[in-house]
Structure formats: C-alpha cells, structure tokens
Amino acid sequence: MSRTRRSARRELARALGEDAMALHVDPIACVAHGLCAELLPEAVTLDEWGYPIVDERLLTEEEVRHARRAAAGCPTLARRLERIAAVPAEPPPP
C-alpha cells in the first residue's frame, strides 16, 4: 500500500476519533478460493480469474465482524484485518 494511501487512512481514522479497521489481502498467499467474497461481499469482489479485489475503504463496525470471519475462514490465511491507528492532529510537544 502506498504511503499516501496509508496516511489518508490514518487521517480518516483520526477524524473518526478512534482506531479503524481495514481488510488486507496477501496477493502471494491467495490462490483464489473466493470464500472472502462470499463472507464479505460489501468489501470484496472477484476479478475474472477469481482473485479478490478489496475495497480500500475503512470498514464499518458491522463489516469488521464479517471481515474477521472472512480472514479466519481463508484456507490459505491470505486475509488479515489491519488496525489503522488514529494519529493526533499535531505532534505532541517535546
């Protein structure tokens, strides 16, 4: 994931005032079983070869529960939930 996208996610988490969760797919480990798309169709679609395309947005609280099931149910353990920590608006004083 690019540094710009990662910092944008952190800024969004900060705006929400809490840590947020996002789904991450390891493209090397994935062998296109498609179970994640069945368990979390709101955030995962499949390409023409059956590999997941993950929505890059932060997950809602409801989606996090389903994403945990999708990550735990992956036969190759290619999915994981990633906590996006909220960052303070300004660095703390020294």
Side-chain angles (χ1 to χ4, degrees):
M1 179 182 319
S2 73
R3 183 174 290 231
T4 306
R5 186 176 295 159
R6 193 174 306 132
S7 73
R9 281 182 163 183
R10 288 184 189 275
E11 286 298 315
L12 180 56
R14 183 183 58 76
L16 295 172
E18 57 190 39
D19 290 353
M21 302 291 279
L23 186 65
H24 175 75
V25 176
D26 179 355
I28 306 276
C30 181
V31 294
H33 285 105
L35 185 59
C36 56
E38 289 182 32
L39 294 173
L40 190 62
E42 305 87 5
V44 180
T45 58
L46 300 177
D47 68 10
E48 60 265 20
W49 299 286
Y51 285 92
I53 300 169
V54 177
D55 190 348
E56 292 291 329
R57 64 184 169 74
L58 298 176
L59 300 173
T60 66
E61 199 172 310
E62 172 84 15
E63 291 170 335
V64 168
R65 289 199 320 262
H66 295 291
R68 283 196 173 112
R69 286 184 36 220
C74 178
T76 60
L77 302 176
R79 311 300 167 273
R80 75 171 188 271
L81 279 171
E82 180 179 272
R83 184 173 302 279
I84 309 297
V87 293
E90 297 177 19

